[in-house]
Amino acid sequence: MAKQTLLQQSQSIYLMGAEGDLYEEICAILNQIEGTLFGNGPRLVMEQAQNAEIFMVSAETESEALNFLEALRSSLVLGLRPLILVTPNDLQGISFPYYDLALTLPLSDYELKRALKGLRPIQERLQQYPPLYDSYAEMACREINLLRFILSRQLSEVIPERDETSPVGYSLPWADHLLGVERGLGLIEMDRLATAGLLLTQEEDVVNLCPQCNDYRINFRQVCPHCGSPQIKRVKTIQHFTCAHTAPETSFIHNYEYICPKCGKKLKHIGVDYAKPGEVVVCARCGQVAPEAEVSCLSLKCGYIFPPHQAKQVVINRYRLSRLAEQAAIQGLHSGATLADVLHSFLNIYAYPFFEKYLQLEVKRSLRYRSPFSLIRLAIRNLSNIEETYGLEGKMTLIKELQEILGTYLRTTDLVSFSPHNEILILLVEADETRAETIVQRLLKRSQKVLDAPFDFKYHIVCVPHQAQDFSHLQKLLTQGE
């Protein structure tokens, strides 16, 4: 019964690995199970890989595994796909969630089937996420992917690990790859997401960095306070009671006896002629004597020397998703989302090229049959201020409320799109200018009454055929309303 359950659904797999005994063994097992192998080999073939649901990495060594994992996790298209790592033995230097499941030899087809079944919850969560908007910059897409990765793997907390190769001494290698940044710099990007309210943080450590090169590799050393040389020696001091002269012990030694360098008298008895009150620092370079050495910092990367108080302190945080981050991950929304992007999540919006062609046909139909239609161009002039005041979550909430208001007054035959200038375009079929004006006024009145924050609307209405005689005339009239 268990075997039948494991074989219920077929999964598409892409195998990456260098040819060898381990690779051949995995290929043989994959040929025995119910699944589709979309590609295999040491190189990632994107045309085949993008059709695979699950990736398997076969690696003999840790460095080989890291190369394959980096190639997959750094891919903007493939970075979220579930991943199984297969190695001869446990690799201590690589851990979850760099991979989703790890298998070691000996490997049976039953173990592999169980592993594939165990990845289905991740697959199901990933399938619920809508595609990202074309208007997003690459970093915006990567940031959403990072949030989706954390959410789909149900990571309750993300804790950076110590990393001597990172400039800040800590890193999250898998996050660095997802974000497409150098080692350790993903933490800086995640702190920026925390500032935006997408991640919640808890302080893990504080690291001192060089103020010039921003690297943690700093040597804290004691130096001469006069010349800054590290060539110092701590020696005992002698105080001559008679003349009150105090100096390093070495300056009193003469032919195995203590002779005061100031008055020339021989010192015989400690506690009677002299005392040893403490120690001082003597510099071998400049010869100066000081009560204490001075602490100086030397950057081992760039060689910059600076006092400790000038060190740049960086807080290393552990992270977890905020409620806003979960919404952003599920809906694919980012602070860089345009008005069209946000409304696309809630409304059935027509792409502008299609809308424009449909509009041309509607103009011809209206002129032929003398059946009017109206085109409303609606702009929200204070949208950027809304986000600055209420944040991304507030903007999303307000626009969703606007969508509900629009849905109240629009018919199923009416079309909605966006102009290249990010304005809402509403095509009201068989509606003259009077009806269009009525709809807009109701929309404005309802918005002012319902919305928590007022939108600053600007609108313009053109009616065909009463105002525009052809498509070019319609475009001209719309432009005049700007």
Side-chain angles (χ1 to χ4, degrees), residues 243-430:
C243 68
H245 181 59
T246 302
E249 183 181 29
T250 53
S251 65
F252 282 82
I253 298 176
H254 184 71
N255 292 331
Y256 303 103
E257 294 180 316
Y258 285 149
I259 306 295
C260 178
K262 181 180 178 183
C263 65
K265 288 186 178 181
K266 183 185 295 185
L267 311 183
K268 295 182 179 180
H269 303 290
I270 188 169
V272 177
D273 299 323
Y274 67 94
K276 293 184 177 181
E279 295 181 337
V280 293
V281 173
V282 179
C283 178
R285 177 180 291 177
C286 68
Q288 293 289 332
V289 178
E292 294 291 341
E294 192 174 78
V295 178
S296 175
C297 301
L298 169 67
S299 170
L300 299 178
K301 181 180 180 182
C302 70
Y304 183 59
I305 298 174
F306 55 95
H309 70 270
Q310 290 184 4
K312 181 179 177 181
Q313 290 194 330
V314 173
V315 176
I316 303 299
N317 292 306
R318 50 177 67 191
Y319 308 91
R320 57 191 177 91
L321 294 180
S322 67
R323 187 170 64 88
L324 174 60
E326 293 178 0
Q327 291 180 351
I330 293 171
Q331 297 175 1
L333 293 175
H334 187 271
S335 59
T338 64
L339 173 63
D341 292 333
V342 179
L343 277 182
H344 265 297
S345 304
F346 308 118
L347 280 175
N348 184 22
I349 306 294
Y350 289 89
Y352 182 75
F354 171 83
F355 182 86
E356 188 175 39
K357 290 181 180 178
Y358 187 90
L359 190 58
Q360 292 176 6
L361 295 174
E362 188 64 20
V363 170
K364 293 179 181 179
R365 185 197 65 80
S366 177
L367 293 173
R368 181 175 180 179
Y369 296 104
R370 307 304 295 176
S371 175
F373 77 86
S374 294
L375 180 63
I376 303 172
R377 193 192 68 191
L378 186 65
I380 303 176
R381 293 184 290 190
N382 65 334
L383 192 61
S384 59
N385 295 333
I386 290 289
E387 182 170 341
E388 290 175 4
T389 304
Y390 298 93
L392 176 61
E393 184 177 12
K395 184 178 80 169
M396 289 165 51
T397 302
L398 288 169
I399 294 178
K400 186 175 182 181
E401 291 174 354
L402 175 61
Q403 173 265 329
E404 293 172 353
I405 296 172
L406 284 171
T408 302
Y409 298 111
L410 298 184
R411 302 163 300 179
T412 55
T413 54
D414 299 328
L415 276 68
V416 181
S417 184
F418 287 91
S419 74
H421 303 294
N422 203 32
E423 300 163 321
I424 303 173
L425 299 177
I426 304 173
L427 173 60
L428 302 177
V429 180
E430 297 183 353

Side-chain angles (χ1 to χ4, degrees), residues 163-171 183-185 187 215-217:
D163 184 354
E164 63 180 11
T165 64
S166 165
V168 295
Y170 285 84
S171 73
R183 190 82 165 209
L185 299 186
L187 299 181
D215 194 272
Y216 83 98
R217 285 163 288 196

